[in-house]
Coordinates of all heavy atoms in Angstrom, one line a residue:
M1 N 109.2 84.4 104.4 CA 109.5 84.3 105.8 C 110.0 82.9 106.1 O 111.0 82.7 106.9 CB 108.2 84.5 106.6 CG 107.7 85.9 106.7 SD 108.9 87.0 107.5 CE 108.3 86.8 109.2
A2 N 109.4 81.9 105.4 CA 109.9 80.5 105.7 C 111.3 80.3 105.3 O 112.1 79.7 106.0 CB 109.0 79.5 104.9
T3 N 111.7 80.8 104.1 CA 113.1 80.7 103.7 C 114.0 81.4 104.6 O 115.1 80.9 104.9 CB 113.2 81.2 102.2 OG1 112.5 82.4 102.1 CG2 112.6 80.2 101.2
D4 N 113.5 82.6 105.0 CA 114.4 83.3 106.0 C 114.6 82.5 107.3 O 115.7 82.5 107.9 CB 113.7 84.7 106.3 CG 114.0 85.7 105.2 OD1 114.8 85.4 104.3 OD2 113.3 86.7 105.2
Y5 N 113.6 81.8 107.7 CA 113.7 81.0 108.9 C 114.6 79.8 108.7 O 115.3 79.4 109.6 CB 112.2 80.6 109.3 CG 112.2 80.0 110.7 CD1 112.3 80.8 111.9 CD2 112.1 78.6 110.9 CE1 112.2 80.2 113.1 CE2 112.0 78.0 112.1 CZ 112.1 78.9 113.2 OH 112.0 78.3 114.5
D6 N 114.5 79.2 107.5 CA 115.3 78.0 107.3 C 116.7 78.3 107.1 O 117.6 77.5 107.5 CB 114.8 77.3 106.0 CG 113.6 76.4 106.3 OD1 113.4 76.2 107.5 OD2 112.9 75.9 105.4
A7 N 117.0 79.4 106.5 CA 118.4 79.7 106.2 C 119.3 79.7 107.4 O 120.3 78.9 107.4 CB 118.5 81.0 105.4
P8 N 119.0 80.4 108.4 CA 119.9 80.4 109.6 C 120.0 79.0 110.3 O 121.0 78.6 110.8 CB 119.3 81.5 110.5 CG 117.9 81.7 110.1 CD 117.9 81.3 108.6
R9 N 118.9 78.3 110.2 CA 118.8 77.0 110.8 C 119.8 76.0 110.2 O 120.6 75.3 110.8 CB 117.4 76.4 110.6 CG 116.7 76.2 112.0 CD 115.5 75.3 111.8 NE 115.0 75.0 113.1 CZ 114.0 74.1 113.3 NH1 113.5 73.5 112.2 NH2 113.5 73.9 114.5
K10 N 119.8 76.1 108.8 CA 120.8 75.2 108.1 C 122.2 75.6 108.4 O 123.1 74.7 108.6 CB 120.5 75.4 106.5 CG 119.5 74.4 106.0 CD 119.4 74.5 104.5 CE 118.3 73.5 104.0 NZ 118.2 73.6 102.5
N11 N 122.4 76.9 108.5 CA 123.8 77.3 108.8 C 124.2 76.8 110.2 O 125.3 76.4 110.4 CB 123.8 78.9 108.8 CG 124.0 79.4 107.4 OD1 124.3 78.6 106.5 ND2 123.7 80.6 107.2
E12 N 123.2 76.9 111.1 CA 123.5 76.4 112.5 C 123.9 74.9 112.5 O 124.9 74.5 113.1 CB 122.3 76.6 113.4 CG 122.5 77.9 114.3 CD 121.3 78.1 115.1 OE1 120.8 77.1 115.7 OE2 120.7 79.2 115.1
E13 N 123.1 74.2 111.8 CA 123.3 72.7 111.7 C 124.7 72.5 111.1 O 125.5 71.6 111.6 CB 122.3 72.0 110.8 CG 121.1 71.6 111.7 CD 120.0 71.1 110.8 OE1 120.3 70.5 109.8 OE2 118.8 71.2 111.2
D14 N 125.0 73.2 110.0 CA 126.3 73.0 109.4 C 127.4 73.3 110.4 O 128.4 72.6 110.5 CB 126.4 73.9 108.2 CG 125.6 73.3 107.0 OD1 125.2 72.2 107.1 OD2 125.4 74.0 106.0
L15 N 127.2 74.4 111.1 CA 128.2 74.8 112.0 C 128.4 73.8 113.1 O 129.6 73.4 113.4 CB 127.8 76.2 112.7 CG 128.3 77.4 111.9 CD1 127.7 78.7 112.5 CD2 129.8 77.5 111.8
S16 N 127.3 73.3 113.7 CA 127.4 72.4 114.8 C 128.1 71.1 114.3 O 128.9 70.5 115.0 CB 126.0 72.1 115.4 OG 125.2 71.5 114.4
E17 N 127.7 70.7 113.1 CA 128.3 69.4 112.6 C 129.8 69.6 112.4 O 130.6 68.8 112.8 CB 127.7 69.1 111.2 CG 126.6 68.1 111.3 CD 125.9 67.8 110.0 OE1 126.7 67.6 109.0 OE2 124.7 67.8 109.9
D18 N 130.2 70.7 111.8 CA 131.6 71.0 111.7 C 132.3 71.0 113.0 O 133.4 70.4 113.2 CB 131.8 72.3 111.0 CG 131.5 72.2 109.5 OD1 131.4 71.1 109.0 OD2 131.5 73.3 108.8
S19 N 131.7 71.7 113.9 CA 132.4 71.8 115.2 C 132.5 70.5 115.9 O 133.5 70.1 116.5 CB 131.7 72.8 116.1 OG 130.4 72.4 116.4
I20 N 131.4 69.7 115.8 CA 131.5 68.3 116.4 C 132.5 67.5 115.8 O 133.3 66.8 116.5 CB 130.1 67.6 116.3 CG1 129.1 68.2 117.3 CG2 130.2 66.1 116.5 CD1 127.7 67.7 117.1
E21 N 132.6 67.5 114.5 CA 133.6 66.7 113.8 C 135.0 67.2 114.2 O 136.0 66.5 114.4 CB 133.4 66.8 112.3 CG 132.6 65.6 111.8 CD 132.3 65.7 110.3 OE1 133.2 66.0 109.6 OE2 131.2 65.4 109.9
E22 N 135.1 68.5 114.3 CA 136.4 69.1 114.7 C 136.8 68.7 116.1 O 137.9 68.3 116.4 CB 136.3 70.6 114.7 CG 137.1 71.3 113.5 CD 137.0 72.8 113.5 OE1 137.5 73.3 114.5 OE2 136.4 73.4 112.6
L23 N 135.8 68.7 117.0 CA 136.0 68.3 118.3 C 136.5 66.8 118.4 O 137.4 66.5 119.1 CB 134.7 68.4 119.2 CG 134.5 69.8 119.8 CD1 133.2 69.9 120.5 CD2 135.7 70.0 120.8
K24 N 135.7 66.0 117.6 CA 136.1 64.6 117.6 C 137.5 64.4 117.1 O 138.3 63.6 117.7 CB 135.1 63.8 116.6 CG 133.8 63.4 117.3 CD 133.0 62.6 116.3 CE 131.6 62.3 116.8 NZ 130.8 61.6 115.8
A25 N 137.9 65.1 116.0 CA 139.2 65.0 115.5 C 140.2 65.5 116.5 O 141.2 64.8 116.8 CB 139.3 65.8 114.2
R26 N 139.9 66.6 117.2 CA 140.8 67.1 118.2 C 141.0 66.1 119.4 O 142.0 65.9 119.9 CB 140.3 68.5 118.7 CG 140.7 69.6 117.8 CD 140.3 70.9 118.4 NE 140.2 72.0 117.4 CZ 139.8 73.2 117.6 NH1 139.3 73.5 118.9 NH2 139.8 74.1 116.7
R27 N 139.8 65.6 119.7 CA 139.8 64.6 120.9 C 140.7 63.4 120.6 O 141.5 63.0 121.4 CB 138.4 64.2 121.2 CG 137.7 65.1 122.2 CD 136.4 64.4 122.7 NE 135.6 65.3 123.5 CZ 134.4 64.9 124.0 NH1 133.9 63.7 123.7 NH2 133.8 65.8 124.7
S28 N 140.5 62.8 119.4 CA 141.3 61.6 119.1 C 142.7 62.0 119.0 O 143.6 61.2 119.4 CB 140.8 61.0 117.7 OG 140.9 62.0 116.7
E29 N 143.0 63.2 118.5 CA 144.4 63.6 118.4 C 145.0 63.7 119.8 O 146.1 63.3 120.1 CB 144.5 64.9 117.7 CG 144.7 64.8 116.2 CD 144.7 66.1 115.5 OE1 145.3 67.1 116.0 OE2 144.1 66.3 114.4
K30 N 144.2 64.4 120.6 CA 144.7 64.7 122.0 C 144.8 63.4 122.8 O 145.8 63.2 123.4 CB 143.6 65.6 122.7 CG 144.0 67.0 122.7 CD 143.1 67.8 123.6 CE 143.4 69.3 123.5 NZ 142.6 70.1 124.4
S31 N 143.8 62.5 122.7 CA 143.9 61.3 123.5 C 145.0 60.4 123.1 O 145.7 59.9 123.9 CB 142.5 60.5 123.4 OG 142.3 60.2 122.0
S32 N 145.2 60.3 121.8 CA 146.4 59.5 121.3 C 147.7 60.1 121.7 O 148.6 59.4 122.1 CB 146.3 59.4 119.8 OG 146.5 60.6 119.2
A33 N 147.7 61.4 121.8 CA 149.0 62.1 122.2 C 149.2 61.8 123.7 O 150.3 61.5 124.1 CB 148.9 63.6 121.9
T34 N 148.1 62.0 124.5 CA 148.3 61.8 125.9 C 148.7 60.3 126.2 O 149.4 60.0 127.1 CB 147.0 62.2 126.7 OG1 145.9 61.6 126.0 CG2 146.9 63.7 126.7
V35 N 148.1 59.4 125.5 CA 148.4 58.0 125.7 C 149.9 57.7 125.4 O 150.5 57.1 126.2 CB 147.5 57.1 124.8 CG1 148.1 55.7 124.7 CG2 146.1 57.0 125.3
D36 N 150.4 58.3 124.4 CA 151.8 58.1 124.0 C 152.6 58.7 125.2 O 153.6 58.1 125.6 CB 152.1 58.8 122.7 CG 151.6 58.0 121.5 OD1 151.2 56.9 121.7 OD2 151.6 58.6 120.4
E37 N 152.3 59.9 125.7 CA 153.0 60.5 126.7 C 153.0 59.6 128.0 O 154.0 59.4 128.6 CB 152.5 61.9 127.0 CG 153.1 63.0 126.2 CD 152.5 64.3 126.5 OE1 152.2 64.6 127.6 OE2 152.4 65.1 125.5
D38 N 151.8 59.2 128.3 CA 151.7 58.3 129.5 C 152.5 57.1 129.4 O 153.2 56.7 130.4 CB 150.2 57.9 129.7 CG 149.4 59.1 130.2 OD1 150.0 60.1 130.6 OD2 148.2 59.0 130.3
E39 N 152.5 56.4 128.2 CA 153.3 55.2 128.1 C 154.7 55.5 128.2 O 155.5 54.8 128.9 CB 153.0 54.6 126.7 CG 151.8 53.7 126.7 CD 151.5 53.2 125.3 OE1 152.4 53.2 124.5 OE2 150.3 52.8 125.1
A40 N 155.2 56.6 127.6 CA 156.6 57.0 127.7 C 157.0 57.2 129.2 O 158.0 56.8 129.7 CB 156.9 58.2 126.9
E41 N 156.1 58.0 129.9 CA 156.4 58.3 131.3 C 156.4 57.0 132.1 O 157.2 56.8 133.0 CB 155.3 59.3 131.8 CG 155.7 60.7 131.6 CD 154.7 61.7 132.0 OE1 154.1 61.4 133.1 OE2 154.4 62.7 131.4
A42 N 155.4 56.2 131.9 CA 155.3 54.9 132.7 C 156.5 54.1 132.4 O 157.1 53.5 133.4 CB 154.1 54.2 132.2
A43 N 157.0 54.0 131.2 CA 158.2 53.2 130.9 C 159.4 53.8 131.6 O 160.2 53.1 132.2 CB 158.4 53.2 129.4
E44 N 159.5 55.1 131.6 CA 160.6 55.7 132.3 C 160.5 55.5 133.8 O 161.5 55.1 134.4 CB 160.6 57.3 132.0 CG 161.3 57.6 130.8 CD 161.3 59.1 130.5 OE1 161.5 59.9 131.5 OE2 161.1 59.5 129.4
G45 N 159.3 55.7 134.3 CA 159.2 55.4 135.8 C 159.5 54.0 136.2 O 159.9 53.7 137.3
F46 N 159.2 53.1 135.2 CA 159.4 51.7 135.6 C 160.9 51.4 135.5 O 161.4 50.6 136.3 CB 158.7 50.8 134.5 CG 157.6 50.0 135.1 CD1 156.3 50.4 135.2 CD2 157.9 48.7 135.7 CE1 155.3 49.7 135.8 CE2 157.0 48.0 136.3 CZ 155.7 48.4 136.3
E47 N 161.6 51.9 134.5 CA 163.0 51.6 134.3 C 163.9 52.1 135.5 O 164.8 51.5 135.9 CB 163.5 52.1 133.0 CG 163.3 51.1 131.9 CD 163.8 51.7 130.6 OE1 164.8 52.3 130.5 OE2 163.1 51.5 129.5
L48 N 163.6 53.4 135.9 CA 164.5 54.0 136.9 C 164.6 53.3 138.2 O 165.7 52.9 138.6 CB 164.1 55.5 137.1 CG 164.5 56.4 135.9 CD1 164.0 57.8 136.1 CD2 166.0 56.4 135.8
P49 N 163.4 53.0 138.8 CA 163.5 52.2 140.1 C 164.1 50.8 139.9 O 164.8 50.4 140.8 CB 162.1 52.2 140.6 CG 161.2 52.6 139.5 CD 162.1 53.3 138.5
G50 N 163.8 50.2 138.8 CA 164.3 48.9 138.6 C 165.8 48.9 138.5 O 166.5 48.1 139.1
A51 N 166.4 49.9 137.9 CA 167.8 50.0 137.8 C 168.4 50.3 139.1 O 169.4 49.7 139.5 CB 168.2 51.2 136.8
D52 N 167.7 51.1 139.9 CA 168.2 51.4 141.3 C 168.3 50.2 142.1 O 169.2 49.9 142.8 CB 167.3 52.5 141.9 CG 167.6 53.9 141.4 OD1 168.6 54.0 140.7 OD2 166.9 54.8 141.7
L53 N 167.2 49.4 142.0 CA 167.1 48.1 142.8 C 168.2 47.2 142.5 O 168.9 46.7 143.4 CB 165.7 47.5 142.6 CG 164.6 47.9 143.5 CD1 163.3 47.2 143.1 CD2 165.0 47.5 145.0
S54 N 168.4 46.9 141.2 CA 169.5 46.0 140.8 C 170.8 46.5 141.3 O 171.7 45.8 141.7 CB 169.5 45.8 139.3 OG 169.8 47.1 138.6
G55 N 171.0 47.9 141.2 CA 172.3 48.4 141.7 C 172.5 48.2 143.2 O 173.5 47.8 143.7
E56 N 171.4 48.3 144.0 CA 171.4 48.0 145.4 C 171.8 46.6 145.7 O 172.6 46.2 146.5 CB 170.1 48.4 146.1 CG 170.1 49.8 146.5 CD 168.7 50.2 147.2 OE1 168.2 49.4 147.9 OE2 168.2 51.2 146.9
E57 N 171.1 45.7 144.9 CA 171.3 44.2 145.1 C 172.8 43.9 144.9 O 173.4 43.2 145.6 CB 170.4 43.4 144.2 CG 169.1 43.2 144.8 CD 168.2 42.4 143.8 OE1 168.7 42.1 142.7 OE2 167.0 42.2 144.2
L58 N 173.3 44.5 143.8 CA 174.7 44.3 143.4 C 175.6 44.7 144.5 O 176.5 44.0 144.9 CB 175.0 45.0 142.1 CG 174.9 44.1 140.8 CD1 175.2 45.0 139.6 CD2 175.8 42.9 140.9
S59 N 175.4 46.0 145.0 CA 176.3 46.5 146.0 C 176.2 45.7 147.3 O 177.2 45.5 147.9 CB 175.9 48.0 146.3 OG 174.6 48.0 146.9
V60 N 175.0 45.2 147.6 CA 174.9 44.3 148.8 C 175.7 43.0 148.6 O 176.4 42.6 149.5 CB 173.4 44.0 149.1 CG1 173.3 42.9 150.1 CG2 172.7 45.3 149.6
R61 N 175.6 42.4 147.4 CA 176.3 41.2 147.2 C 177.8 41.4 147.2 O 178.6 40.6 147.7 CB 175.9 40.6 145.9 CG 174.6 39.8 146.0 CD 174.3 39.2 144.6 NE 172.9 39.0 144.5 CZ 172.3 38.9 143.3 NH1 173.0 39.1 142.2 NH2 171.0 38.8 143.2
V62 N 178.2 42.5 146.5 CA 179.7 42.7 146.3 C 180.3 43.2 147.6 O 181.5 42.9 147.9 CB 179.9 43.8 145.2 CG1 181.3 44.3 145.2 CG2 179.5 43.3 143.9
L63 N 179.6 43.9 148.5 CA 180.2 44.4 149.7 C 180.8 43.2 150.5 O 180.2 42.2 150.8 CB 179.1 45.0 150.6 CG 179.0 46.5 150.6 CD1 177.9 47.0 151.5 CD2 180.3 47.2 151.0
P64 N 182.1 43.4 150.9 CA 182.8 42.3 151.7 C 182.3 42.4 153.1 O 181.8 43.4 153.6 CB 184.2 42.7 151.5 CG 184.3 44.2 151.3 CD 183.0 44.5 150.6
R65 N 182.5 41.3 153.8 CA 182.1 41.3 155.2 C 182.9 42.3 156.0 O 184.2 42.3 155.8 CB 182.3 39.9 155.8 CG 181.5 39.6 157.0 CD 181.5 38.1 157.4 NE 182.9 37.7 157.8 CZ 183.5 36.7 157.4 NH1 182.9 35.8 156.5 NH2 184.7 36.4 157.8
Q66 N 182.3 43.0 156.8 CA 183.0 44.1 157.6 C 183.9 43.4 158.6 O 183.7 42.3 159.1 CB 182.0 45.0 158.3 CG 181.1 45.7 157.3 CD 181.9 46.6 156.3 OE1 182.6 47.5 156.7 NE2 181.7 46.3 155.0
A67 N 184.9 44.1 159.0 CA 185.9 43.6 160.0 C 185.2 43.3 161.3 O 185.7 42.4 162.1 CB 187.0 44.6 160.2
D68 N 184.2 44.1 161.7 CA 183.6 43.9 163.0 C 182.4 43.0 162.8 O 181.5 42.9 163.7 CB 183.2 45.2 163.6 CG 182.2 46.0 162.7 OD1 182.0 45.6 161.5 OD2 181.6 47.0 163.2
E69 N 182.3 42.2 161.8 CA 181.2 41.2 161.6 C 181.7 39.8 161.4 O 182.9 39.6 161.0 CB 180.4 41.6 160.4 CG 179.5 42.9 160.6 CD 178.8 43.3 159.3 OE1 179.2 42.9 158.2 OE2 177.8 44.0 159.5
F70 N 180.9 38.8 161.6 CA 181.3 37.5 161.4 C 180.1 36.7 160.9 O 179.0 37.1 161.0 CB 181.8 36.8 162.7 CG 180.7 36.6 163.7 CD1 180.1 35.4 163.8 CD2 180.2 37.6 164.5 CE1 179.1 35.2 164.7 CE2 179.2 37.4 165.4 CZ 178.6 36.2 165.6
T71 N 180.4 35.6 160.2 CA 179.3 34.7 159.7 C 179.2 33.5 160.7 O 180.1 32.8 160.9 CB 179.7 34.2 158.3 OG1 180.0 35.3 157.5 CG2 178.5 33.4 157.7
C72 N 178.0 33.4 161.2 CA 177.7 32.3 162.1 C 177.8 31.0 161.4 O 177.3 30.8 160.3 CB 176.3 32.5 162.7 SG 175.8 31.1 163.8
A73 N 178.5 30.0 162.1 CA 178.7 28.7 161.5 C 177.4 27.9 161.5 O 177.3 26.8 160.8 CB 179.8 28.0 162.2
K74 N 176.4 28.3 162.3 CA 175.2 27.5 162.5 C 174.1 28.0 161.6 O 173.4 27.3 160.9 CB 174.8 27.4 163.9 CG 175.8 26.7 164.8 CD 175.2 26.1 166.0 CE 176.2 25.3 166.8 NZ 175.6 24.7 168.0
C75 N 173.8 29.4 161.7 CA 172.7 29.9 160.9 C 173.2 30.6 159.6 O 172.4 31.0 158.8 CB 171.9 30.9 161.7 SG 172.8 32.4 162.3
F76 N 174.5 30.7 159.5 CA 175.1 31.3 158.3 C 174.7 32.7 158.0 O 174.7 33.2 156.9 CB 174.8 30.4 157.1 CG 175.4 29.0 157.2 CD1 174.5 28.0 157.4 CD2 176.7 28.8 157.2 CE1 174.9 26.7 157.6 CE2 177.2 27.5 157.3 CZ 176.3 26.4 157.5
L77 N 174.3 33.4 159.1 CA 173.9 34.8 159.0 C 175.1 35.7 159.4 O 175.9 35.2 160.3 CB 172.7 35.2 159.8 CG 171.4 34.6 159.4 CD1 170.3 34.9 160.4 CD2 171.0 35.1 158.0
V78 N 175.2 36.9 158.8 CA 176.3 37.8 159.2 C 175.9 38.5 160.5 O 174.8 39.2 160.4 CB 176.7 38.7 158.1 CG1 177.7 39.7 158.5 CG2 177.2 37.9 156.9
H79 N 176.6 38.5 161.5 CA 176.2 39.2 162.8 C 177.3 40.1 163.1 O 178.5 40.0 162.7 CB 176.1 38.2 163.9 CG 174.9 37.3 163.7 ND1 173.6 37.7 164.0 CD2 174.8 36.0 163.4 CE1 172.8 36.6 163.7 NE2 173.5 35.6 163.3
H80 N 177.0 41.1 163.9 CA 178.0 42.0 164.5 C 178.8 41.3 165.5 O 178.4 40.3 166.1 CB 177.3 43.2 165.1 CG 178.3 44.3 165.4 ND1 178.8 44.5 166.7 CD2 178.9 45.2 164.6 CE1 179.6 45.5 166.7 NE2 179.7 46.0 165.5
R81 N 180.1 41.7 165.6 CA 181.0 41.1 166.5 C 180.5 40.9 168.0 O 180.7 40.0 168.7 CB 182.3 41.9 166.6 CG 183.5 41.1 167.0 CD 184.1 40.3 165.8 NE 185.2 39.4 166.3 CZ 185.7 38.5 165.5 NH1 185.3 38.3 164.3 NH2 186.7 37.7 166.0
S82 N 179.6 41.9 168.3 CA 179.1 41.9 169.7 C 178.1 40.7 169.9 O 177.7 40.4 171.0 CB 178.3 43.2 170.0 OG 177.2 43.3 169.1
Q83 N 177.7 40.1 168.8 CA 176.7 39.0 168.9 C 177.4 37.6 168.9 O 176.8 36.6 169.0 CB 175.8 39.0 167.7 CG 174.9 40.2 167.7 CD 173.4 39.8 167.6 OE1 172.8 40.0 166.6 NE2 172.9 39.3 168.7
L84 N 178.8 37.7 168.9 CA 179.5 36.4 168.9 C 179.4 35.8 170.3 O 179.8 36.4 171.3 CB 181.0 36.7 168.6 CG 182.0 35.5 168.6 CD1 181.6 34.4 167.7 CD2 183.4 36.0 168.4
A85 N 178.9 34.5 170.4 CA 178.8 33.9 171.7 C 180.1 33.1 172.0 O 180.6 33.3 173.1 CB 177.6 32.9 171.6
Y86 N 180.5 32.3 171.1 CA 181.7 31.5 171.3 C 182.3 31.0 170.0 O 181.6 31.1 168.9 CB 181.5 30.3 172.2 CG 180.5 29.3 171.7 CD1 180.9 28.3 170.9 CD2 179.1 29.4 172.0 CE1 180.1 27.3 170.4 CE2 178.3 28.4 171.5 CZ 178.7 27.4 170.7 OH 177.8 26.5 170.3
E87 N 183.5 30.6 170.1 CA 184.2 30.1 168.9 C 184.4 28.6 169.1 O 185.0 28.2 170.1 CB 185.6 30.8 168.7 CG 186.1 30.7 167.3 CD 187.4 31.5 167.2 OE1 187.5 32.6 167.8 OE2 188.3 31.0 166.4
D88 N 183.9 27.8 168.2 CA 184.0 26.3 168.3 C 184.9 25.8 167.2 O 184.5 25.5 166.1 CB 182.6 25.7 168.2 CG 182.6 24.2 168.5 OD1 183.7 23.7 169.0 OD2 181.7 23.6 168.1
G89 N 186.2 25.5 167.5 CA 187.1 25.0 166.6 C 187.2 25.9 165.3 O 187.2 25.4 164.2
G90 N 187.3 27.2 165.6 CA 187.5 28.1 164.4 C 186.1 28.5 163.8 O 186.1 29.3 162.9
Q91 N 185.1 27.9 164.3 CA 183.7 28.2 163.8 C 183.1 29.2 164.8 O 182.9 28.9 165.9 CB 182.9 27.0 163.6 CG 183.4 26.1 162.5 CD 182.4 25.0 162.2 OE1 181.8 24.4 163.0 NE2 182.1 24.8 160.9
L92 N 182.7 30.3 164.2 CA 182.1 31.4 165.0 C 180.6 31.1 165.2 O 179.9 30.8 164.2 CB 182.3 32.7 164.4 CG 183.8 33.0 164.2 CD1 184.0 34.3 163.3 CD2 184.5 33.2 165.5
V93 N 180.0 31.2 166.4 CA 178.6 30.9 166.6 C 178.0 32.2 167.3 O 178.6 32.7 168.2 CB 178.4 29.7 167.5 CG1 176.9 29.5 167.8 CG2 179.0 28.5 166.9
C94 N 176.9 32.6 166.7 CA 176.2 33.8 167.3 C 175.5 33.5 168.5 O 175.2 32.3 168.8 CB 175.3 34.4 166.2 SG 173.8 33.5 166.0
S95 N 175.2 34.5 169.3 CA 174.5 34.4 170.6 C 173.1 33.7 170.4 O 172.6 33.0 171.3 CB 174.4 35.7 171.3 OG 173.8 36.7 170.4
E96 N 172.5 34.0 169.3 CA 171.1 33.4 169.0 C 171.2 31.9 168.9 O 170.4 31.2 169.5 CB 170.5 34.0 167.7 CG 170.0 35.4 167.9 CD 169.5 36.0 166.6 OE1 168.8 35.3 165.9 OE2 169.8 37.1 166.3
C97 N 172.2 31.4 168.2 CA 172.4 29.9 168.0 C 172.9 29.3 169.3 O 172.6 28.1 169.6 CB 173.3 29.7 166.9 SG 172.6 30.1 165.3
A98 N 173.7 30.1 170.1 CA 174.2 29.5 171.3 C 173.2 29.4 172.4 O 173.2 28.6 173.3 CB 175.4 30.4 171.8
A99 N 172.1 30.2 172.3 CA 171.1 30.3 173.4 C 170.3 29.0 173.3 O 170.1 28.4 172.3 CB 170.2 31.5 173.2
Ligands
ZN1 ZN1 173.7 31.8 164.4

């Protein structure tokens, strides 16, 4: 009876040990795989907006002053023509600086 009782117990232990080791192996495999995926996704997510931002900055710098805009001679900001207060010897002054 004792041997009959021990036999299935040993089998259970062996099974559980095997399954635990299998789980551990699967877990480490899975976790390392997900980490690699996350890193790749994070790198992609980081690069795309960065490229868009630099493109916007470039387009803003390259854009020429519009015909209906002027650069104030006092604050050096580009204002719409409607904000022009007066012209002082060819220098355009915005209404904010004239006030
Ligand atoms: Zn101004």
Side-chain angles (χ1 to χ4, degrees):
M1 285 297 274
T3 45
D4 279 349
Y5 190 75
D6 275 347
R9 244 196 174 186
K10 271 187 182 176
N11 279 344
E12 260 179 46
E13 271 174 30
D14 284 350
L15 273 174
S16 63
E17 262 179 45
D18 281 349
S19 59
I20 283 173
E21 267 177 42
E22 253 183 63
L23 271 176
K24 276 185 188 173
R26 279 187 197 172
R27 268 192 191 179
S28 58
E29 269 178 40
K30 265 192 182 178
S31 62
S32 65
T34 45
V35 163
D36 285 346
E37 270 177 36
D38 285 350
E39 272 177 23
E41 272 179 38
E44 272 181 42
F46 244 93
E47 269 181 39
L48 283 176
D52 283 351
L53 269 176
S54 64
E56 270 179 43
E57 273 179 1
L58 266 178
S59 66
V60 166
R61 275 183 210 156
V62 167
L63 260 181
R65 204 169 65 226
Q66 299 300 302
D68 59 349
E69 288 177 340
F70 69 97
T71 304
C72 174
K74 295 203 174 182
C75 65
F76 301 107
L77 290 176
V78 176
H79 294 283
H80 190 258
R81 202 80 188 168
S82 63
Q83 295 237 251
L84 176 62
Y86 62 87
E87 198 177 325
D88 183 15
Q91 291 193 314
L92 304 168
V93 179
C94 74
S95 54
E96 281 175 46
C97 292

